[in-house]
């Protein structure tokens, strides 16, 4: 049980090329299911590592790599396919590069600050996954023709935009304080 969270992160990493292939082949329903499964592995790896007190440095990095690999890949493909607005893709890429860069600077400069994800970032990741699953489901004609579907899509885009900006600003603030105190 102690290694299950790491196994779930590895499964998520393995699912990314599968999701990529499914999205490229326009197999959106299967993509939505696979993305949902990957999202559940993200939830359960964190839940299980906390529940069984099996948080590890390896697990931290595996989870971070899996999350970034998955989010960046899915959003790039859906952006290329014009299913999501370009500004959202740029915001998400900026945030992911920002977080990755901060971790690298932390290691390189031996800075002391908490690298655990903040709550708004967890909410952001959850909303990002919900949005891409919903966008994939919009390819079903019966759903796509509902007026409410576009409202929900736009509402989810707004939520992802807001939580991406807020979490990015909070991370920037945390890192600036850490660098200023060194």
């Amino acid at each position: 049980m102690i290694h299950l969270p790491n196994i779930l992160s590895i499964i998520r990493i393995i699912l990314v090329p599968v999701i990529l292939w499914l999205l490229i082949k326009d197999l959106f329903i299967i993509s939505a299911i696979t993305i949902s499964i990957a999202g559940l592995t993200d939830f359960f790896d964190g839940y299980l590592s906390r529940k069984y007190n099996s948080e590890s440095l390896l697990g931290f990095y595996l989870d971070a790599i899996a999350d970034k690999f998955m989010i960046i890949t899915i959003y790039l493909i859906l952006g290329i396919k014009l299913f999501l607005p370009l500004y959202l893709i740029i915001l998400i890429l900026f945030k992911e590069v920002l977080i990755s860069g901060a971790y690298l600077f932390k290691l390189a400069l031996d800075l002391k600050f908490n690298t655990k994800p903040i709550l708004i970032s967890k909410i952001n990741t959850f909303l990002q996954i919900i949005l891409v699953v919903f966008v994939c489901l919009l390819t079903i004609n019966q759903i796509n023709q509902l007026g409410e579907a576009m409202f929900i899509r736009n509402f989810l885009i707004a939520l992802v935009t807001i939580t991406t900006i807020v979490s990015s600003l909070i991370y920037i603030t945390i890192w600036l304080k850490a660098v200023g105190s060194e």
Side-chain angles (χ1 to χ4, degrees), residues 107-125:
L107 292 173
L109 301 176
D110 196 30
L111 295 174
K112 307 289 186 242
F113 63 88
N114 188 354
T115 55
K116 291 190 176 189
I118 55 176
L119 178 60
I120 189 70
S121 189
K122 291 179 181 184
I123 293 168
N124 179 244
T125 301

Side-chain angles (χ1 to χ4, degrees), residues 11-151:
I11 289 171
R12 196 161 63 257
I13 291 168
I14 291 169
L15 284 177
V16 171
V18 174
I19 294 167
L20 174 64
W21 181 81
L22 291 168
L23 288 172
I24 289 171
K25 291 293 189 178
D26 294 336
L27 299 170
F28 296 110
I29 304 307
I30 301 169
S31 295
I33 293 166
T34 309
I35 293 166
S36 297
I37 291 167
L40 287 172
T41 67
D42 186 28
F43 170 77
F44 282 114
D45 75 1
Y47 172 77
L48 292 172
S49 66
R50 284 185 300 278
K51 181 176 180 173
Y52 294 105
N53 200 24
S54 62
E55 294 176 299
S56 68
L57 188 58
L58 173 63
F60 171 79
Y61 285 112
L62 279 175
D63 181 57
I65 289 167
D67 286 351
K68 292 185 185 352
F69 191 39
M70 182 176 76
I71 294 297
I72 288 170
T73 300
I74 292 170
Y75 274 83
L76 276 176
I77 293 300
L78 291 177
I80 289 168
K81 289 184 169 280
L82 302 177
F83 288 147
L84 292 168
L86 179 61
Y87 77 87
L88 183 61
I89 307 305
I90 292 169
L91 270 175
I92 289 170
L93 290 176
F94 171 78
K95 178 190 170 208
E96 298 303 333
V97 169
L98 176 76
I99 292 170
S100 299
Y103 290 138
L104 292 175
F105 279 121
K106 177 187 186 277
L107 292 173
L109 301 176
D110 196 30
L111 295 174
K112 307 289 186 242
F113 63 88
N114 188 354
T115 55
K116 291 190 176 189
I118 55 176
L119 178 60
I120 189 70
S121 189
K122 291 179 181 184
I123 293 168
N124 179 244
T125 301
F126 173 75
L127 290 171
Q128 287 173 337
I129 292 169
I130 295 296
L131 173 59
V132 294
V133 168
F134 190 77
V135 166
C136 287
L137 293 177
L138 280 177
T139 62
I140 301 171
N141 282 336
Q142 292 81 359
I143 294 175
N144 194 9
Q145 294 174 0
L146 297 173
E148 295 85 8
M150 285 313 190
F151 174 79

